[in-house]
Amino acid sequence: MSRERRLTAGAVAVLLVALLGVAVVPGVLADPSADGPVRPGRVSIAESPAIAPEEVDGATATLRLHTRIGHAGNPTDNVSVRFRAYDAESGLLTAERTVELEELTGDRSVPVNATIEVPREGGYVIETVVFRDGRVVDRDRTRVSGLAALGTEVHFTESEAVPPLSVSVASVDEEANRTTLTVAASLTNGGESASDRLRVEVVLRQAESNIVAARQSTTVSGIGPGRTADATVEVTVPSDYNYYVDAAVYRDGVLVDTARSVANLDPTETISANMTTREVEFEVSDFAGDDGSQEERATEAAARTETATATPGFGPAVAVAALAGAALLARRRTRQ
């Protein structure tokens, strides 16, 4: 047999084997993409979440989250996005929301929106996690703070000409050793609408001991956009001491802003708002609760004076004479 015939016979044999395999195992030469598994496309976070307040009340804030999820490659289904809010200080989970996505196709990004409700205080870390078939494929973390100030733009005035707190002496009662101070808190509305009802609390603490000497609060509302108003209170404290004057403004029980000043009533030394405390002598009784009137204090003082002077002349000489008389009496009884 010639060489050409042998090659032809071999080619025919190979072709017959291939045809036999196709007949015995259907689908061997079929397109793999027709019935076989398809590898899903790539999914990732295309944009970090944009966070904005939606609804705010006295205790909670609803945050609106907006992000975009990118996709490339083959169609992908079973994709979900989970949003979690963790307390920035404690790390505790505060709120959670999961959004299921429809099948992703093409090379593009799709928007994902969600809302979560968190307590209106402190700050939070918003975690965004993308799942595909139950497995994590991407994640992102975004921090948000200042929730306590949401819903109001009123703050203590920040100006060199107008201090946030002004302290002046209203009256002095030298006999009772008491001084009445007038504290005016300057508030400025930096928003676009009039302010709601706000509560301003003023606390005076003796500088060295940190003892609260007085506490008073008042309310203020209707501060127009761009306007400034004063919230004024009067407090009475023991004289001859120095005090830190702390003020806080609250909206619906939520702390909005704070400010500090000083009241120097000690004529021998002064303090500043950022000075550390020092050890000095002071009378604790000056800071005890006092529900009596000035007349009652004067009557008690007069009674103490009268008691101390009710037996004039009763001094050391009288005491010696009394001891001598007692000794003579005891001697007579012994002789009898």
Side-chain angles (χ1 to χ4, degrees), residues 237-294:
V237 295
S239 304
D240 301 331
Y241 291 96
N242 296 328
Y243 299 92
Y244 289 114
V245 183
D246 292 316
V249 58
Y250 296 86
R251 178 182 180 271
D252 295 331
V254 178
L255 179 64
V256 174
D257 199 9
T258 61
R260 167 174 285 190
S261 185
V262 295
N264 290 308
L265 304 184
D266 186 346
T268 62
E269 61 179 345
T270 61
I271 61 172
S272 61
N274 58 356
M275 180 178 289
T276 57
T277 57
R278 304 177 305 281
E279 293 184 0
V280 297
E281 295 182 359
F282 71 100
E283 294 293 334
V284 177
S285 59
D286 290 344
F287 299 90
D290 187 2
D291 297 329
S293 64
Q294 179 178 348

Side-chain angles (χ1 to χ4, degrees), residues 132-219:
R132 184 183 62 199
D133 296 326
R135 296 183 178 182
V136 176
V137 295
D138 201 3
R139 69 172 67 233
D140 176 89
R141 286 196 163 209
T142 305
R143 187 182 181 93
V144 59
S145 60
L147 269 65
L150 290 177
T152 180
E153 295 295 333
V154 176
H155 301 279
F156 286 104
T157 304
E158 297 181 0
S159 171
E160 295 182 358
V162 181
L165 295 177
S166 300
V167 183
S168 60
V169 177
S171 62
V172 177
D173 187 343
E174 296 183 356
E175 184 177 356
N177 191 35
R178 291 293 187 272
T179 298
T180 299
L181 301 174
T182 299
V183 181
S186 179
L187 300 173
T188 299
N189 184 1
E192 299 180 354
S193 59
S195 67
D196 297 330
R197 183 181 177 89
L198 304 172
R199 181 173 65 89
V200 179
E201 184 178 48
V202 176
V203 178
L204 273 73
R205 295 180 294 108
Q206 201 274 331
E208 289 75 24
S209 66
N210 208 37
I211 291 178
V212 175
R215 183 192 301 268
Q216 188 62 266
S217 63
T218 186
T219 58

